[in-house]
Amino acid sequence: MTPFWSRELWRLLGAEAGFFLFGLILRQPAWTLFMGTLAYFLFFLWRLAQFHRWFLGTRNFRPPDIPEGIWMDLYQKVYQLQKGNRRRERKLKVLLGKFQASADALPDAVVVINASDQILWFNAAAKGYLALDTTDVGRPIVNILRSPVFLDYLQSGDYGQSLVFNPFHNDDTHFSLRIIPYGGDQRLLLVQDITDLRRLERVRSDFVANVSHELKTPLTVISGFVENFLLKEDECSRRWRRPLELISQQAMRMRQIVTDLLLLAKLEASGRREESLEILDIPALLKSIRDEVLMPGLGDVAAIGLELDAHLRLKGNEAELRSAFSNLLLNAIKYTPHNGRVTVRCYVDGEGCGCVEVEDTGEGISPEHIPRLTERFYRVDVGRSRKRGGTGLGLAIVKHVLQHHDAKLDISSKPGAGSCFRCRFPPGKVALVEMGQV
Ligand code: ADP
């Protein structure tokens, strides 16, 4: 018990004893004791009402002028607490100001949204990038970023990768957006303006496309003349046959590189176009690719097996998918020795994804090379790839084509045992004839 309470109790006992004695004089001790207790109770109630009014009405919590005791102690304690709270509040305000200043200094836009996608806070860059102002706090972010691509990304809940999109539907602005969930149900939206980066990429891609295009004509002329010389049977042509054959081979290789570079540039420039996608009969497409590559002289594998789900249809661009699947099959043939086996499969996996798979029993690839295989001109063995007519661009083309179809390339391989290249298309791109979805 605090000293204030014991003093208060003693005071009450003293008062009660006084009332009792006074009651004895009046020969009404019970009555005076009751009156005294009532008076004490009413006084306490009055003090409580006074405290309540002070607590609700005061701004600075300075204690009123009352005698020392339990009530004074209460006033003092509330005053001290309030003073502490104000000190903490001031410190937090300074901290918040500093945090706000550092967030405002960020070159990228930062927006905090809640579980209902409403904007809670944003930094200065967000005002410029997304044209936000203070009246937008509380508004759903989808009312500001009205892009279907962004809506899909927001609702997907899969924020592992950034979303590159064009928020204002013009070719001038490109944003890279990333969502980072935190604190239970809040999410941080980080938006980076990559317009300049995109412009540079386009300059590079245009440059490669232009150079490739410019190289095409001289290469055709060189090949034409060399072929002509090789056809002649005179003394001069016979003497120069070997160098001429080498020139012809290298010119052909260069033409293949130029063709692949042009295809890559075209793929980069075209981006994702839903309207160019049609329902494709994948088993028929794979059969026709197999028949094309089986033409004599293209490889020496013993057999190309087909394991095809006849019902599989995919929403895709035929020319692009033909080029991607041909590249995978040609690679399997190129890197599988004589007597090896190549199998082409298509099926729907357990998660409803459409899969096209090319498996071989060839030389395989060491694990450290696998993450880099889709880079342009990346080759495990440059000499061997060149000898087999490789350009180093085949898998880069595959990657771009699959990106256009929201699909992924999974590569599994064991050196000496073979490789399996699997293209996985999301369920949204799959249609099955028997289910009548086509
Ligand atoms: P390339 O024209 O050299 O074949 P790609 O981009 O198609 O270029 O392939 C890149 C590299 O990946 C190849 O150089 C080769 O080392 C390796 N590779 C691709 N497919 C296979 C495969 N089926 N088996 C073994 N290695 C492969």
Side-chain angles (χ1 to χ4, degrees), residues 46-120:
W46 174 71
R47 277 274 194 238
L48 189 66
Q50 209 182 13
F51 179 77
H52 187 225
R53 218 174 314 124
W54 171 83
F55 188 74
L56 294 183
T58 187
R59 290 179 130 254
N60 56 13
F61 285 88
R62 203 167 290 287
D65 221 2
I66 58 164
E68 274 221 18
I70 185 96
W71 287 105
M72 191 56 200
D73 187 40
L74 221 55
Y75 280 113
Q76 287 287 0
K77 287 273 167 3
V78 172
Y79 178 61
Q80 294 300 339
L81 262 172
Q82 190 56 22
K83 246 170 76 174
N85 277 349
R86 288 202 173 160
R87 215 176 303 124
R88 266 194 297 277
E89 206 175 287
R90 269 199 301 277
K91 265 191 193 163
L92 276 175
K93 263 190 193 156
V94 172
L95 211 68
L96 207 65
K98 281 185 183 164
F99 167 75
Q100 182 113 25
S102 58
D104 283 345
L106 283 175
D108 301 337
V110 182
V111 182
V112 176
I113 57 170
N114 62 14
S116 321
D117 302 336
Q118 287 162 324
I119 299 174
L120 299 179

Side-chain angles (χ1 to χ4, degrees), residues 331 334-335 360 365 373 378-380 385 390-392 394-395 421:
N331 273 353
K334 255 190 303 188
Y335 299 107
D360 63 60
I365 308 157
L373 288 184
Y378 187 84
R379 283 170 272 207
V380 175
S385 156
T391 61
L395 291 180
F421 289 75

Side-chain angles (χ1 to χ4, degrees), residues 210-228:
N210 290 338
V211 169
S212 312
H213 200 76
E214 291 300 321
L215 284 174
K216 241 179 144 176
T217 317
L219 278 172
T220 313
V221 175
I222 293 171
S223 301
F225 276 115
V226 172
E227 298 298 323
N228 250 341

Side-chain angles (χ1 to χ4, degrees), residues 260 327-328 330-336 358 360 362-365 372-382 384-386 389-398 413 418-421:
D260 281 357
N327 267 309
L328 292 181
L330 285 170
N331 273 353
I333 295 169
K334 255 190 303 188
Y335 299 107
T336 304
V358 180
D360 63 60
E363 58 196 51
I365 308 157
R372 299 196 59 191
L373 288 184
T374 54
E375 287 173 23
R376 279 158 211 226
F377 296 112
Y378 187 84
R379 283 170 272 207
V380 175
D381 183 329
V382 181
R384 209 173 330 161
S385 156
R386 279 196 189 136
T391 61
L393 294 167
L395 291 180
I397 291 173
V398 174
S413 186
S419 317
C420 180
F421 289 75

